[in-house]
Amino acid sequence: MDGDVIVGYLRRLDGVDDEAVRQLVRTLRDFADLKGLVLTMVFVEREPGRTSTLGTMTRYCLRHGVRRVVVPSGLHLNRLPGLAFLSRELLAQSIGGQVWIATEGEGEDT
């Protein structure tokens, strides 16, 4: 796959309705645009406590050579900040690439 692509991941956290999900997808798209990347797909975890979609996204990235992922915030990786940081590092390592947080300053990469 082209090196200018990125995929998104978000978790439907408690209290997040369909409109909020659409806004989060727009946030991911805007981030990709700002970075000059093409957001090709957004994986949405429908249940807050589950991670099956995260696994699906990781396998997709590996199968298609995608090395960039963006999430709206660390909470979408884990509700605990320390574990969110660790999850981000592990995901970056798993895909052999970068995981960006769309709402962080200038989108620091990992």
Side-chain angles (χ1 to χ4, degrees):
M1 190 167 272
D2 185 11
D4 292 337
V5 301
I6 191 168
V7 298
Y9 172 79
L10 66 92
R11 186 174 294 184
R12 190 171 183 150
L13 302 170
D14 292 332
V16 172
D17 61 13
D18 289 341
E19 178 54 34
V21 168
R22 285 189 289 276
Q23 179 57 47
L24 289 168
V25 170
R26 283 191 293 273
T27 298
L28 298 179
R29 186 186 61 229
D30 292 347
F31 177 87
D33 290 347
L34 182 67
K35 293 289 187 182
L37 301 169
V38 178
L39 182 68
T40 58
M41 186 175 288
V42 176
F43 291 83
V44 179
E45 197 78 65
R46 298 282 175 200
E47 296 179 45
R50 308 286 297 227
T51 58
S52 58
T53 303
L54 181 62
T56 299
M57 182 204 63
T58 302
R59 288 187 298 278
Y60 175 88
C61 288
L62 293 172
R63 188 169 40 252
H64 296 284
V66 176
R67 301 290 178 248
R68 295 182 183 97
V69 171
V70 61
V71 297
S73 71
L75 288 175
H76 291 268
L77 295 171
N78 196 295
R79 293 179 187 190
L80 301 172
L83 292 179
F85 176 80
L86 179 60
S87 296
R88 181 181 179 185
E89 294 290 320
L90 290 173
L91 177 56
Q93 185 178 29
S94 294
I95 65 169
Q98 302 165 309
V99 177
W100 279 304
I101 307 293
T103 56
E104 259 184 9
E106 296 184 19
E108 296 173 19
D109 55 321
T110 301

